[in-house]
């Protein structure tokens, strides 16, 4: 594998703009058929693997959740050869027992976003992926076990399972919304992971989320409104833990990467007959369709 390729990708969210653990790094500025990603990707070595890191909001946190180039970010990971993608994200907690600084590995999403691009398809090629299990179970378990295996700074609990409600933002929720989400049985809240998970599945990349709880949103009677100051304070306290978990997860992936049905998500999803798909679309999606010879562009 060349220095500019990586089997593992990490997308860092709020407060996680670099991966100090990477050595032997190269910075790669990519363009994709969906425009440029949020920033240059840094590819480096960790525990015997090449790992590609991308700060979701860009260095300096320049992009709103609504403005994130989700398609370009995932396409860029595909171009680099990424097969396993780990998102580290800040979330609010909608449950008493998911305390600030705890870490949650959600297994479901609930969509409260509006008008975000959530697919690579269209323009003459129709595809419908299965998304009943939006997080890759095997990868999520691997990272959660890695989290349990390392020494964490502070009194941190690891929780597996739960539903991440993805809201549009950028303003945080009203009290009425927060209470309603709780009454619906939703567990954590953020603004970014749903589109990533969908696009990663379309790109046949195995995806999971490590959610770093930063606040109780605004529903908790003993806690005030959620603020960026509170979120960043808790994230900074947890940054070292996040790095340790990512390293341990990469070590485990290096030892035994799970086989995952996401890697063949398009096998039964592509609906349009190859002959009916415009050449321009085949070219645009070439990195995603390389495994399916009938959809290869002629030129
Ligand atoms: C900085 S507070 C709100 C912001 O934090 C979360 O970002 P990310 O998922 O990238 O860690 C949340 O989704 C909002 O975008
Ligand atoms: N309470 C919250 N709502 C939405 N996104 C968040 N990210 C961190 N905390 C959040």
């Amino acid at each position: 594998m060349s220095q500019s390729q990586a089997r593992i990708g990490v997308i860092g969210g709020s407060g996680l703009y670099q991966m100090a653990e990477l050595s032997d790094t190269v910075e790669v500025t990519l363009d994709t058929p969906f425009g440029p990603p949020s920033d240059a990707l840094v590819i480096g070595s960790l525990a015997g693997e090449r790992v590609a890191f991308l700060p979701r909001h860009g260095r300096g946190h320049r992009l709103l959740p609504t403005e994130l180039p989700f398609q370009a970010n995932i396409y860029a990971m595909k171009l680099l050869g990424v097969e396993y993608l780990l998102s580290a994200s800040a979330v609010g907690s909608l449950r008493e027992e998911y305390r600030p600084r705890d870490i949650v590995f959600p297994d479901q999403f609930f969509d409260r976003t509006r008008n975000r691009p959530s697919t690579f398809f269209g323009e003459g090629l129709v595809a419908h992926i299965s998304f009943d299990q939006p997080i890759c179970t095997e990868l999520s378990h691997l990272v959660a076990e890695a989290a349990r295996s390392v020494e964490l700074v502070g009194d941190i609990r690891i929780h597996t399972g739960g539903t991440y409600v993805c809201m549009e933002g950028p303003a945080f929720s009203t009290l009425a919304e927060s209470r309603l989400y709780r009454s619906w049985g939703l567990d954590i809240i953020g603004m970014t992971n749903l589109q990533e998970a969908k696009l990663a599945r379309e790109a046949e990349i195995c995806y999971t989320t490590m959610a770093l709880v930063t606040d109780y949103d605004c529903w908790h009677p003993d806690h005030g409104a959620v603020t960026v100051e509170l979120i960043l304070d808790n994230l900074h306290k947890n940054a070292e833990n996040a790095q340790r978990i990512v390293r341990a997860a990469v070590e485990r992936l290096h030892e035994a990467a799970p086989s995952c049905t996401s890697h063949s998500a398009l096998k039964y999803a592509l609906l349009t007959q190859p002959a009916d798909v415009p050449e321009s679309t085949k070219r645009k999606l070439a990195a995603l369709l390389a495994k399916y010879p009938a959809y290869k562009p002629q030129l």
Side-chain angles (χ1 to χ4, degrees):
M1 181 177 278
S2 98
Q3 288 291 91
S4 306
Q5 291 275 294
R7 193 165 71 121
I8 299 170
V10 177
I11 299 186
S14 298
L16 303 164
Y17 309 113
Q18 57 184 10
M19 255 184 86
E21 293 257 300
L22 295 181
S23 62
D24 198 11
T25 55
V26 287
E27 198 167 298
V28 186
T29 303
L30 286 174
D31 201 8
T32 79
F34 297 89
S38 299
D39 209 326
L41 287 101
V42 175
I43 303 175
S45 297
L46 181 64
E49 288 283 340
R50 294 297 282 171
V51 176
F53 177 77
L54 177 65
R56 175 185 289 122
H57 301 277
R59 275 169 264 194
H61 205 123
R62 294 172 286 98
L63 298 165
L64 285 171
T66 308
E67 295 173 324
L68 293 179
F70 292 106
Q71 295 155 308
N73 289 352
I74 300 297
Y75 204 97
M77 290 286 176
K78 189 73 184 177
L79 286 174
L80 295 177
V82 167
E83 295 172 24
Y84 299 93
L85 183 55
L86 171 58
S87 152
S89 269
V91 295
S93 167
L94 301 170
R95 282 173 69 156
E96 181 82 48
E97 61 272 36
Y98 289 4
R99 305 167 309 175
R101 296 196 57 205
D102 282 0
I103 298 176
V104 183
F105 291 89
D107 55 7
Q108 284 293 328
F109 286 109
F110 191 88
D111 192 358
R112 287 273 299 161
T113 64
R114 290 183 293 267
N115 297 324
R116 291 189 188 180
S118 303
T119 181
F120 290 112
F121 294 103
E123 296 179 27
L125 176 50
V126 175
H128 300 282
I129 50 155
S130 296
F131 203 52
D132 56 321
Q133 299 298 332
I135 292 276
C136 290
T137 312
E138 294 83 358
L139 184 61
S140 183
H141 284 169
L142 181 145
V143 185
E145 284 311 306
R148 290 198 173 99
S149 76
V150 293
E151 197 178 322
L152 296 174
V153 185
D155 175 24
I156 312 276
R157 290 191 206 145
I158 307 293
H159 308 274
T160 45
T163 301
Y164 173 126
V165 49
C166 191
M167 60 174 289
E168 188 60 51
F172 295 114
S173 305
T174 65
L175 183 54
E177 287 164 341
S178 198
R179 285 180 175 156
L180 187 68
Y181 298 148
R182 273 170 56 72
S183 77
W184 286 348
L186 308 176
D187 302 297
I188 52 177
I189 183 160
M191 304 181 190
T192 61
N193 278 210
L194 176 77
Q195 280 72 25
E196 273 171 19
K198 267 192 190 158
L199 291 157
R201 182 64 55 82
E202 287 188 350
E204 299 189 320
I205 297 174
C206 180
Y207 179 91
T208 197
T209 292
M210 173 169 73
L212 308 166
V213 178
T214 52
D215 54 270
Y216 274 118
D217 203 35
C218 59
W219 62 269
H220 200 298
D222 302 336
H223 294 258
V226 49
T227 65
V228 167
E229 188 190 14
L230 172 67
I231 290 175
L232 291 183
D233 184 43
N234 276 324
L235 276 176
H236 291 147
K237 288 183 185 143
N238 240 354
E240 173 62 26
N241 288 333
Q243 300 276 2
R244 287 183 193 180
I245 295 169
V246 171
R247 168 180 268 283
V250 173
E251 279 168 5
R252 283 171 183 239
L253 275 171
H254 185 62
E255 278 161 23
S259 65
C260 174
T261 53
S262 300
H263 290 149
S264 51
L266 293 183
K267 195 169 174 191
Y268 302 110
L270 299 166
L271 210 54
T272 315
Q273 289 306 305
D276 295 328
V277 179
E279 278 295 300
S280 55
T281 301
K282 289 181 182 168
R283 273 199 299 278
K284 187 173 180 184
L285 300 183
L288 309 185
L289 299 173
K291 246 170 65 184
Y292 302 93
Y295 291 90
K296 270 200 176 145
Q298 297 304 305
L299 309 174

